[in-house]
Every structure is written in C-alpha cells, then in structure tokens.
Amino acid sequence: MAPGSSRKIYAASARSHTRRAKQSSGLTLPSGIFPAVLLVLLAGLVSWGYQAVRPPLPKICGSSDGPPVTASRIQLRDGRHLAYQERGVSKDVAKIKVVFIHGLDVCRLDDVIAIYTSPVCAFICCFGLSFVMPSAITIFNILMMLSSQELVEELGMYFVSYDRPGYGESDPHPSRTVKSQALDIEELADQLGLGPKFYLIGYSLGGQLGWGCLKYIPHR
C-alpha cells in the first residue's frame, strides 16, 4: 500500500473516532421526563388557580379585624363563643323550654318561632309539604300552623336558638364532631339555666345534631 493512502486511512479513522466521542458525550434525557414535567406544571397551575379563586378566611366576630358582636353570647369551656337568641316567655317562668338547632344555610335568626308563628307562613309551609309529600302533615305541622305569640305565652313556651360553630356570630370549631356539638348544646342549656331537662327541635340538617343529643346527652 502506498504511504499516502495509509495516511488518508489514519486521518479518516481519527475523524470517525472524534465524531463518536462527541456523540457519546451529549446529554441524554431519561425516558418519560416530559410527561413528568408536564404533570408538575399542571399541578402548579391548578394550585395557583385554587389559591386565586379561594375566598378569604372568615374573620371572627369580636376580633381586632373582625365584625362587631351584636348577639348575646356565652363562652364555652374551651374558650369559644356561642351566639344565641331567646324568644317566647322568660325562661324563669317557662313551662316548656326548647332549644332550636338551625339547618345548613341559615342561622339563629331563622328559628321555629320566627318561621311558624306567622299563620300565613305556617299555612304556606304545611300546604306546600302536603302537596309534595302528603305524609309530611304531622301533629307538629298542625300545631305550628295554629300557633301564635299569644298561644306561646299561654302555654308558657321558651325558645332559644343558637348559631352553630362557624355560623353567624359563633366562633368556628374546625375539629367539631356531632358529639362536640351535642356537648355545646348541653353547656348552652347549663349556662342559660334551662334545668335538667329541655326539648330539642332540629330543623333540616339540625336534625343530625338532634340525633347526636339523643346519643350523647340522652339524660337531658
């Protein structure tokens, strides 16, 4: 082989080795990296969107930056406040004492006396229930339809409605349970001096707490 051709072969071989070295030294991304990055970006976008549209945390009534307290309130053993409203005759002379538990989207102001002592409201409510569900006409509905403030006074009925934790002007209780709320009712009754026994009316979702009271404070 001629000396010139041998040098050409060596030069071509050197260039080939150089190209392979450059190719092998390049960065190779692991398989599946792009879907993982896309998932992380999507999670970050969803988190940002949630933070952007989430309403601000409610301010506690009576706090330095919160709304003023306008309702009567008691302070529970754990330091929380429970707002309440009394109706009917004075509890000192009452023969029947009732604790009213409101539903999901209402408060202490939407109690049974405010709703049912108006004969027109009571008639509409009972008639509407009877039209949708005939079995909904009960003795309770009939009594409420016929009730009036005069009848409440004649029977000696006292009602107290309260804001459940986190509603109205009552302090929130993030770790609340059915049992803790039943004990709230018992403490409310004790601080108001309702005596060893009282009646309960649980409206709508308040019925859940009524069953809770039957389970956790049946002696009351």
Side-chain angles (χ1 to χ4, degrees), residues 21-73:
K22 289 181 178 179
Q23 291 174 357
S24 62
S25 63
L27 178 63
T28 303
L29 296 177
S31 177
I33 187 67
F34 289 109
V37 172
L38 182 61
L39 182 61
V40 171
L41 291 177
L42 181 61
L45 181 63
V46 170
S47 177
W48 174 83
Y50 173 74
Q51 294 294 335
V53 301
R54 186 178 66 171
L57 294 176
K59 297 180 179 180
I60 299 178
C61 289
S63 62
S64 58
D65 59 344
V69 176
T70 62
S72 300
R73 303 201 304 177

Side-chain angles (χ1 to χ4, degrees), residues 31-109:
S31 177
I33 187 67
F34 289 109
V37 172
L38 182 61
L39 182 61
V40 171
L41 291 177
L42 181 61
L45 181 63
V46 170
S47 177
W48 174 83
Y50 173 74
Q51 294 294 335
V53 301
R54 186 178 66 171
L57 294 176
K59 297 180 179 180
I60 299 178
C61 289
S63 62
S64 58
D65 59 344
V69 176
T70 62
S72 300
R73 303 201 304 177
I74 63 166
Q75 186 170 16
L76 302 172
R77 284 186 292 268
D78 59 6
R80 291 181 295 113
H81 293 87
L82 214 62
Y84 67 92
Q85 176 171 267
E86 298 171 294
R87 294 183 185 271
V89 303
S90 170
K91 59 178 175 288
D92 298 327
V93 299
K95 301 175 184 177
I96 302 173
K97 300 173 183 179
V98 181
V99 177
F100 179 81
I101 312 171
H102 66 76
L104 176 65
D105 56 348
V106 289
C107 66
R108 71 185 187 282
L109 302 178

Side-chain angles (χ1 to χ4, degrees), residues 11-213:
S13 177
R15 287 195 297 270
S16 175
H17 283 294
T18 303
R19 285 195 297 268
R20 284 198 297 268
K22 289 181 178 179
Q23 291 174 357
S24 62
S25 63
L27 178 63
T28 303
L29 296 177
S31 177
I33 187 67
F34 289 109
V37 172
L38 182 61
L39 182 61
V40 171
L41 291 177
L42 181 61
L45 181 63
V46 170
S47 177
W48 174 83
Y50 173 74
Q51 294 294 335
V53 301
R54 186 178 66 171
L57 294 176
K59 297 180 179 180
I60 299 178
C61 289
S63 62
S64 58
D65 59 344
V69 176
T70 62
S72 300
R73 303 201 304 177
I74 63 166
Q75 186 170 16
L76 302 172
R77 284 186 292 268
D78 59 6
R80 291 181 295 113
H81 293 87
L82 214 62
Y84 67 92
Q85 176 171 267
E86 298 171 294
R87 294 183 185 271
V89 303
S90 170
K91 59 178 175 288
D92 298 327
V93 299
K95 301 175 184 177
I96 302 173
K97 300 173 183 179
V98 181
V99 177
F100 179 81
I101 312 171
H102 66 76
L104 176 65
D105 56 348
V106 289
C107 66
R108 71 185 187 282
L109 302 178
D110 297 280
D111 61 14
V112 67
I113 293 296
I115 296 172
Y116 288 107
T117 52
S118 168
V120 175
C121 292
F123 177 78
I124 293 174
C125 178
C126 291
F127 179 78
L129 286 173
S130 65
F131 181 77
V132 176
M133 189 190 326
S135 61
I137 294 184
T138 63
I139 296 177
F140 173 78
N141 295 127
I142 296 173
L143 288 176
M144 290 300 100
M145 184 176 67
L146 297 176
S147 67
S148 64
Q149 186 61 34
E150 291 76 14
L151 182 58
V152 168
E153 294 177 357
E154 181 180 347
L155 295 177
M157 300 179 70
Y158 162 87
F159 290 85
V160 58
S161 56
Y162 74 101
D163 288 332
R164 292 162 53 190
Y167 287 78
E169 297 186 30
S170 289
D171 295 340
H173 187 199
S175 58
R176 65 187 179 275
T177 62
V178 174
K179 181 178 180 179
S180 72
Q181 294 183 82
L183 297 179
D184 286 351
I185 294 174
E186 183 178 34
E187 192 168 353
L188 173 68
D190 289 340
Q191 291 203 33
L192 294 181
L194 301 190
K197 298 282 187 178
F198 51 86
Y199 293 91
L200 279 176
I201 295 178
Y203 175 74
S204 187
L205 192 61
Q208 177 198 30
L209 299 187
W211 282 108
C213 290

